Amino acid sequence: MSTECNRNGYKIILDKKGADRYIKISYPQRYGRYSEVESADAVYQFNCNGEILFAKGKGRQWPDPQEWLKRSVGNDWIYYSTGGYTGVFEAIGEFYLPNLQYPTNALIGGKPFAADHVRRIINGWHEKVLEIRDGLAGAAPDITNFIDRVALNSPANLAEKARRFFQINGGRVTVLPPDSRHVDYNIIPLTIAAGCLYKCRFCKVKTSKPFEEVERTEIDRRLEELAEFYGENVKNYNSLFLGEHDALCCNPDLVIYSVARAYERLGFAGSYMRGANVFLFGSVGSFLAAEEQLFDELRRMPCEFYINIGLESADQETLDVLGKPVSATMVEEAFRRMQNINDRYSNIEVSANFLMDATLPKNHYPSFLRLVRDSLPRRKPKGTIYLSPLKFDAPSRDLVFDFNRLKLQSRLPTFLYIIQRL
Ligand code: SF4
């Protein structure tokens, strides 16, 4: 049962229960367990480690009661907006649009971080906590312990924690798979291979590292550190991101080993959230080379798998312009295999990314439609296609128009990919 304290015009509720299953719903939904502090002008929510997780203003100071701020484990603030755009769900497959504080490829969204009411919350929440703590003399010990813990998690300490978090996997996660939107990007990252195969010229998230698998002993060490880092809050997680850019290229035994070890060490079976999910990236080459046995083994694991492949284009001239060293024939073959895997494995969804830009060669969109419309006899609910604008920080009405036109013709679920880091 949750503990509650009302004092001096604010209310503290410990151990609130949110939903235990991720759902897509048109009102703000909280998941797992969290604690809440409500003052006259704002609501703050904290995870099981007493770290701020969500915040929003109240009353006239906060223009839309449906919108809120979320802080990521990597210590970024994300503003979830209704979009001011009627087609947010159609565009991204979610009811709320994440607005980010760093350059990304978003086509829609505003500039919420420039607004006074948003800045006030981000810059003032901790001071408010200290003020509340000063008025708590004589309150129940679990209330004072909670607020002391929250007070210790100051902005400076949270930034330091994020720095330590990045070190566990040998660097920050620069891009999350688009499918991790299904769990509101609440994933625990475990990097099992650094770098990628292709180093495509167009790509803004690649690292200079050559592709290299991580040793099992190092994976075990990372899992120990992750379990310690997430602490009590690990129980709010049921999803893993196998990093970095091409985990599918790893030896299949390493993939299976990593998922099995993570499932056990991170306690997914006992999570507050039901089910378990694993997200990873693959490349055209690693996907075509993956043996059927890998998918058969994944089928037997107690997880839903989401494998995202960067196809980018089915037009050779476009691939050459992008500096992506694969052939259009390989892309077509990967697309066919994607349909095949999606049809046969109920707990595996392979999704794919394609690029959008007005300057790409004229055959790019027709070749895309040949795959997602002409090659499929009917509409399919599985095998999402993500369209990713090529340029960062370049919102464009024309590209939104192009997206809507392509989406309407596609026989697969088709959404915009907003590149997000952790
Ligand atoms: S698109 Fe993928 S394969 Fe190409 S450079 Fe970026 S991360 Fe590497």
Side-chain angles (χ1 to χ4, degrees):
M1 210 173 67
S2 51
T3 308
E4 206 173 312
C5 166
N6 282 287
R7 185 166 303 211
N8 306 334
Y10 49 80
K11 183 156 95 177
I12 301 173
I13 308 178
L14 304 186
D15 206 22
K16 287 187 82 168
K17 287 191 181 69
D20 62 2
R21 185 181 281 280
Y22 288 100
I23 42 174
K24 301 196 191 295
I25 201 143
S26 61
Y27 57 83
Q29 176 69 60
R30 297 291 172 256
Y31 297 103
R33 302 286 167 87
Y34 61 97
S35 296
E36 185 175 278
V37 175
E38 183 171 358
S39 68
D41 57 1
V43 180
Y44 310 95
Q45 289 164 337
F46 301 86
N47 67 21
C48 301
N49 295 333
E51 297 152 345
I52 191 156
L53 186 58
F54 296 105
K56 67 177 196 151
K58 284 168 62 183
R60 280 212 304 271
Q61 299 206 13
W62 191 261
D64 193 330
Q66 297 273 77
E67 302 191 341
W68 70 95
L69 281 156
K70 177 183 179 184
R71 195 188 64 88
S72 73
V73 187
N75 205 34
D76 286 320
W77 283 101
I78 302 156
Y79 185 90
Y80 281 76
S81 71
T82 54
Y85 172 83
T86 49
V88 166
F89 188 82
E90 288 72 17
I92 64 167
E94 303 297 316
F95 284 97
Y96 293 92
L97 178 72
N99 292 263
L100 308 169
Q101 275 185 298
Y102 46 88
T104 185
N105 60 348
L107 284 184
I108 52 177
K111 297 201 180 320
F113 294 100
D116 283 348
H117 60 278
V118 172
R119 284 212 304 266
R120 241 192 326 268
I121 293 273
I122 293 177
N123 298 331
W125 70 268
H126 190 249
E127 218 169 291
K128 177 70 76 176
V129 165
L130 297 181
E131 195 185 303
I132 291 170
R133 185 184 61 174
D134 290 345
L136 271 184
D142 45 358
I143 293 282
T144 55
N145 289 343
F146 160 74
I147 211 84
D148 284 346
R149 206 168 177 201
V150 166
L152 272 179
N153 285 312
S154 64
N157 285 344
L158 291 173
E160 172 55 23
K161 278 190 179 182
R163 204 184 54 74
R164 280 196 285 119
F165 171 61
F166 302 147
Q167 281 175 348
I168 297 174
N169 276 305
R172 181 169 209 165
V173 173
T174 55
V175 55
L176 287 168
D179 299 305
S180 54
R181 67 188 172 89
H182 295 313
V183 298
D184 196 21
Y185 305 95
N186 293 330
I187 52 87
I188 296 182
L190 173 67
T191 298
I192 64 167
C196 68
L197 294 180
Y198 298 142
K199 313 292 179 209
C200 315
R201 201 164 45 238
F202 78 91
C203 177
K204 297 196 179 56
V205 297
K206 62 179 174 273
T207 59
S208 55
K209 294 175 230 164
F211 179 83
E212 192 180 15
E213 286 182 7
V214 174
E215 300 274 344
R216 286 186 185 208
T217 48
E218 175 62 12
I219 287 172
D220 290 346
R221 189 198 63 78
R222 288 181 183 188
L223 279 172
E224 287 307 314
E225 287 201 17
L226 285 166
E228 193 186 326
F229 175 84
Y230 279 84
E232 285 177 43
N233 198 42
V234 79
K235 286 203 145 202
N236 276 319
Y237 288 84
N238 68 348
S239 302
L240 179 75
F241 165 46
L242 281 186
E244 190 177 28
H245 298 309
D246 196 353
L248 193 60
C249 196
C250 292
N251 184 318
D253 290 346
L254 189 74
V255 175
I256 302 292
Y257 175 83
S258 305
V259 175
R261 292 284 295 155
Y263 185 88
E264 186 194 313
R265 186 63 190 90
L266 301 173
F268 284 172
S271 168
Y272 295 136
M273 301 304 297
R274 281 197 267 166
N277 308 287
V278 179
F279 301 91
L280 62 150
F281 286 115
S283 59
V284 174
S286 66
F287 184 47
L288 289 177
E291 291 188 8
E292 204 63 32
Q293 194 189 339
L294 170 65
F295 301 106
D296 279 334
E297 289 193 43
L298 297 183
R299 186 213 301 268
R300 288 196 286 273
M301 301 189 93
C303 305
E304 303 287 324
F305 290 89
Y306 296 88
I307 305 172
N308 179 254
I309 315 287
L311 297 183
E312 324 309 355
S313 179
D315 170 49
Q316 191 59 54
E317 190 188 349
T318 306
L319 290 166
D320 295 343
V321 166
L322 295 170
K324 184 153 191 111
V326 298
S327 69
T329 311
M330 288 168 75
V331 169
E332 284 168 18
E333 205 180 320
F335 183 83
R336 278 194 298 274
R337 187 166 202 211
M338 173 182 160
Q339 305 315 313
N340 183 285
I341 300 284
N342 285 339
D343 290 345
R344 290 186 300 123
Y345 294 90
S346 61
N347 68 331
I348 303 175
E349 176 166 359
V350 184
S351 62
N353 305 331
F354 284 84
L355 284 164
M356 288 179 72
D357 194 75
T359 63
L360 290 174
K362 65 177 188 331
N363 270 333
H364 172 56
Y365 290 152
S367 63
F368 170 75
L369 288 173
R370 269 200 299 280
L371 290 185
V372 302
R373 182 190 60 196
D374 306 342
S375 78
L376 303 170
R378 66 189 75 83
R379 286 191 177 269
K380 295 172 78 174
K382 193 175 166 195
T384 302
I385 300 296
Y386 293 97
L387 285 164
S388 173
L390 180 61
K391 297 194 182 86
F392 274 39
D393 270 355
S396 153
R397 273 174 191 272
D398 289 350
L399 267 193
V400 173
F401 181 80
D402 283 348
F403 164 73
N404 285 327
R405 185 173 59 81
L406 296 168
K407 179 185 170 78
L408 272 175
Q409 296 178 77
S410 171
R411 290 186 163 159
L412 293 168
T414 300
F415 298 110
L416 285 172
Y417 179 8
I418 300 176
I419 290 180
Q420 215 176 124
R421 70 186 183 190
L422 188 62

